[in-house]
Amino acid sequence: MLRFKLIPCGMGITVVAIVGAMVLFTVGNAISDDKFKIEQFISPEICSDCHSKIAEQWENSMHNLAHKDPIYNKLSQFLRKGLIDENEIKEADSCVKCHTPVGYVTGFPRKVSDDLSKTAPIATLGIQCDYCHSVVDVKKMYNNGLVLEPGEGEDDPGIKRGPFSDSEPDFHEAQYSKLHTQSNICGTCHDVKHVVFDTPIETTFTEWKNSPYNDSNPENRVTCQGCHMYQRPGVPATGSTNRPENPGSATDYSDERPHIFTHYFVGANANVPPMFNDNTKALMAKARLKNAATISVDKNEPGQKKLKIRVTNSGAGHSIPTGVADLRQVWLEIVIRNKDQKPIFTSGLLNKDRILPENSIVFRIVFGDGNGKPVINIAKAKQVLTDNRIKAKQSVIQTIELPLPLKEGDVISVRLLYRSVSQKILNLIPNETFEPLSVIEMAKIQTKL
Ligand code: HEC
Ligand code: HEC
Ligand code: HEC
Ligand code: HEC
Ligand code: HEC
């Protein structure tokens, strides 16, 4: 198992000589864009020699797939094409800083328009073990302000930072890091701003920071890790479910601890992991979505021409949807049938091309060009035009005007549905047909008058 010890010493000497120079640049130097050498980062495969369970969980997670994700790839190339405005190009090229972070800090790729087929193999593995566990600081809370101090590769792995203060590993050094126990380590990548226009593009961390989960008493605070690194199959670990500890060992041979943080990093993406033959993550995403929200319909009487639907964010530590909330679709599907089973009102039913009708009730963000015109390309986003998403632990009430008054015997069915990317946006990508993205039921209610 200890194959890193087999590396010849000759190499080690050269490496050590370079170490000295690198340390001068990095110690106490708050620059996260430091040019490191690719050899400094140790492959997740090596970590998996000892941390096999953690590595298995992380494999095919959205972090592992951040660079390979076909939806991200096709979309980022599409958005970059044909731009002429220098500021828009800067934004459209910026994606690799988070989606290929090991490549970015080692000098390639620096831009989406670089020849990505030349990306070093280790950098294609996305947000990985040695990247997160080399973090020592955060210099700004958006657009990936992580500051790293990696080791010098397998020969001299350096310090891996984590939640334990009494860890004594045999391969690498270990150090307690408070940052790793806080939402900030996640938040600096999960808040995204336009690099020139400053438009807030993703605000998951800010949404969490302003939510009741960010309790001023640390005992009651639920961090990103408190939900997302407690989830495992059978344990959705959302705000509306129990989040039991996960006793176990950090390696195949170390002592048991009361809680080992899981590394599946599941959000809501049920499409991309199966493209890499991982169905476990898709099931976990569905479990998460099913324990995120509730819906209820206000008491209805025959003769009434209005329907009031309440949607509550009961389980997410941020808005629903969060992240790339301009692409995600969370919507209400409403069907009212009379006592002969005939539909007398519908809303939010996908048509045969899987497109949502214009007047559906969709919770999302719409960006604008600065003059009030909606834009799809985030590179052109100068303003947030609308944002009707459901904040953590809050409810929204939607009032629907009906064409006919409700009658005795009518059956009202309402579902809250989720789809990762709108079909209309996917259809814009030329010569590309993705398998239809799954539509996931988050909540459902049926009442009879
Ligand atoms: C996105 C960043 C990130 C990635 C990628 C990541 N980890 Fe972690 N890991 C963390 C954080 C954060 C914690 C501590 C959570 C806390 O204390 O709240 C942690 C905890 C740990 C621990 C302590 C034991 C435990 O799980 O509680 C080990 C060991 C570990 N990680 C190893 C790995 C290995 C091996 C990989 C790759 C297969 C990996 N990590 C990938 C962020 C990451
Ligand atoms: C030779 C086995 C071995 C290898 C390879 C290995 N580790 Fe560890 N690691 C350990 C042991 C043992 C512990 C201590 C576990 C404990 O204290 O419960 C540990 C602990 C950790 C911790 C917790 C540190 C803390 O203080 O909280 C992190 C983080 C970690 N390893 C990351 C990594 C990463 C990243 C890699 C790959 C670059 C890696 N490990 C490779 C054996 C290994
Ligand atoms: C109280 C539990 C909880 C906390 C705390 C929490 N989340 Fe979530 N998260 C969820 C649930 C439930 C979902 C699925 C519903 C949804 O998509 O919003 C989710 C989904 C996500 C998604 C996928 C969203 C999408 O639709 O694409 C991301 C990304 C995410 N969380 C990141 C974070 C980050 C980063 C933090 C900390 C700043 C955090 N979460 C804190 C429960 C939580
Ligand atoms: C280096 C930047 C970076 C850091 C640090 C980071 N993330 Fe992420 N995270 C990403 C990117 C990029 C993606 C999306 C990849 C994709 O969809 O192609 C992602 C995806 C996710 C998802 C899956 C979302 C979905 O739609 O299913 C979850 C959950 C998540 N991150 C949680 C966390 C948590 C918790 C932490 C802190 C422990 C964290 N992230 C730290 C960049 C980061
Ligand atoms: C500061 C970090 C950061 C930067 C820069 C960034 N992203 Fe992301 N990206 C994320 C995170 C975090 C997620 C996960 C959010 C979620 O799941 O909703 C994500 C998710 C995505 C997804 C969803 C993928 C899927 O499979 O559903 C797409 C598409 C995407 N990003 C495109 C881009 C493009 C295009 C750019 C550059 C113009 C970019 N991103 C720049 C952090 C970043």
Side-chain angles (χ1 to χ4, degrees), residues 4 146 167 231 350:
F4 42 87
L146 294 173
S167 217
Q231 189 178 9
L350 294 179

Side-chain angles (χ1 to χ4, degrees), residues 242-445:
N242 289 333
R243 297 181 297 276
E245 289 192 320
N246 175 46
S249 311
T251 69
D252 306 335
Y253 56 89
S254 34
D255 291 344
E256 177 143 328
R257 292 183 182 267
H259 178 67
I260 296 296
F261 289 89
T262 63
H263 282 68
Y264 297 94
F265 298 112
V266 167
N269 201 317
N271 298 290
V272 174
M275 295 178 194
F276 297 82
N277 296 320
D278 189 328
N279 292 314
T280 306
K281 307 264 188 328
L283 291 173
M284 290 173 70
K286 288 176 188 164
R288 186 152 275 283
L289 286 166
K290 282 199 187 304
N291 290 286
T294 58
I295 43 180
S296 62
V297 181
D298 269 19
K299 210 171 86 187
N300 290 289
E301 309 280 341
Q304 200 173 297
K305 271 191 82 176
K306 272 188 188 146
L307 193 63
K308 271 192 183 169
I309 302 171
R310 177 191 296 266
V311 187
T312 304
N313 176 345
S314 54
H318 34 67
S319 297
I320 294 181
T322 190
V324 287
D326 54 324
L327 304 178
R328 308 291 189 223
Q329 285 185 315
V330 172
W331 77 97
L332 286 173
E333 183 200 78
I334 307 162
V335 180
I336 305 177
R337 289 175 198 275
N338 65 16
K339 57 174 185 278
D340 306 323
Q341 297 291 312
K342 278 223 181 73
I344 53 170
F345 176 82
T346 64
S347 167
L349 287 179
L350 294 179
N351 73 12
K352 66 175 186 353
D353 300 319
R354 305 179 59 80
I355 290 173
L356 261 182
E358 271 319 318
N359 59 355
S360 309
I361 299 167
V362 188
F363 303 101
R364 60 167 180 168
I365 280 185
V366 178
F367 294 118
D369 65 353
N371 296 310
K373 226 183 106 208
V375 287
I376 283 176
N377 193 341
I378 47 175
K380 296 173 186 280
K382 287 194 171 151
Q383 64 187 142
V384 173
L385 275 188
T386 57
D387 178 359
N388 66 340
R389 296 173 303 147
I390 312 141
K391 296 192 171 114
K393 287 199 173 164
Q394 291 191 17
S395 301
V396 296
I397 295 171
Q398 294 288 332
T399 306
I400 292 119
E401 305 284 343
L402 301 173
L404 291 167
L406 291 168
K407 286 210 185 86
E408 185 121 18
D410 285 354
V411 175
I412 305 167
S413 310
V414 185
R415 299 200 295 160
L416 184 70
L417 300 174
Y418 179 97
R419 179 164 64 176
S420 277
V421 185
S422 107
Q423 187 67 45
K424 258 194 187 160
I425 292 180
L426 288 180
N427 289 351
L428 293 174
I429 304 175
N431 311 320
E432 200 49 61
T433 37
F434 290 101
E435 285 282 301
L437 299 185
S438 40
V439 171
I440 298 156
E441 184 183 281
M442 298 179 69
K444 177 183 178 173
I445 190 165

Side-chain angles (χ1 to χ4, degrees), residues 62-63 69-73 75-77 79 91-99 112 142-144 186 188-193 195 202 204 267-269 272 322-325 327-328 377-379 418 420-421:
M62 289 315 298
H63 281 161
D69 174 352
I71 295 197
Y72 153 72
N73 270 301
L75 216 57
S76 56
Q77 295 301 333
L79 298 178
E91 170 62 22
D93 263 337
S94 72
C95 326
V96 292
K97 193 173 184 187
C98 295
H99 285 265
V112 160
Y142 59 92
N143 290 358
N144 189 354
C186 318
T188 181
C189 289
H190 282 266
D191 260 15
V192 187
K193 272 194 205 178
V195 291
E202 289 183 38
T204 306
N269 201 317
V272 174
T322 190
V324 287
L327 304 178
R328 308 291 189 223
N377 193 341
I378 47 175
Y418 179 97
S420 277
V421 185

Side-chain angles (χ1 to χ4, degrees), residues 1-240:
M1 177 183 58
L2 303 176
R3 62 176 144 96
F4 42 87
K5 294 230 166 104
L6 300 175
I7 283 155
C9 293
M11 281 263 303
I13 292 163
T14 21
V15 172
V16 169
I18 300 160
V19 179
M22 282 306 297
V23 166
L24 284 180
F25 286 112
T26 52
V27 167
N29 186 351
I31 295 174
S32 62
D33 287 0
D34 261 342
K35 287 261 178 76
F36 296 108
K37 289 192 310 316
I38 195 83
E39 300 78 36
Q40 285 183 266
F41 290 90
I42 301 169
S43 162
E45 231 179 279
I46 303 282
C47 314
S48 86
D49 277 352
C50 302
H51 300 290
S52 63
K53 271 198 208 135
I54 293 175
E56 217 175 276
Q57 296 168 353
W58 166 86
E59 201 180 359
N60 295 323
S61 67
M62 289 315 298
H63 281 161
N64 178 197
L65 298 175
H67 169 85
K68 294 182 183 165
D69 174 352
I71 295 197
Y72 153 72
N73 270 301
K74 301 281 157 56
L75 216 57
S76 56
Q77 295 301 333
F78 167 70
L79 298 178
R80 173 65 184 80
K81 265 209 190 90
L83 294 179
I84 38 173
D85 180 293
E86 208 180 299
N87 296 332
E88 294 174 6
I89 290 174
K90 269 192 195 143
E91 170 62 22
D93 263 337
S94 72
C95 326
V96 292
K97 193 173 184 187
C98 295
H99 285 265
T100 319
V102 168
Y104 187 85
V105 298
T106 55
F108 191 89
R110 298 287 287 183
K111 304 197 298 283
V112 160
S113 52
D114 284 339
D115 178 0
L116 298 181
S117 68
K118 300 211 167 82
T119 305
I122 188 174
T124 66
L125 301 179
I127 302 147
Q128 48 195 281
C129 320
D130 209 12
Y131 182 81
C132 281
H133 289 291
S134 296
V135 168
V136 292
D137 202 0
V138 180
K139 72 165 180 185
K140 61 173 192 214
M141 274 315 300
Y142 59 92
N143 290 358
N144 189 354
L146 294 173
V147 181
L148 309 182
E149 273 182 29
E152 288 301 326
E154 286 173 57
D155 269 0
D156 181 8
I159 305 168
K160 307 303 162 212
R161 283 101 184 155
F164 306 144
S165 51
D166 57 351
S167 217
E168 290 179 344
D170 30 10
F171 169 50
H172 53 79
E173 290 172 65
Q175 209 171 73
Y176 170 73
S177 159
K178 189 169 177 207
L179 178 58
H180 282 74
T181 70
Q182 297 172 323
S183 291
N184 294 34
I185 192 168
C186 318
T188 181
C189 289
H190 282 266
D191 260 15
V192 187
K193 272 194 205 178
H194 191 293
V195 291
V196 182
F197 307 147
D198 272 354
T199 319
I201 297 204
E202 289 183 38
T203 51
T204 306
F205 174 70
T206 304
E207 293 156 21
W208 171 83
K209 204 173 88 180
N210 297 331
S211 82
Y213 292 102
N214 182 21
D215 199 289
S216 53
N217 177 356
E219 297 269 304
N220 302 328
R221 191 175 304 148
V222 186
T223 58
C224 314
Q225 295 90 321
C227 286
H228 288 281
M229 296 184 82
Y230 275 68
Q231 189 178 9
R232 58 251 193 211
V235 181
T238 70
S240 57

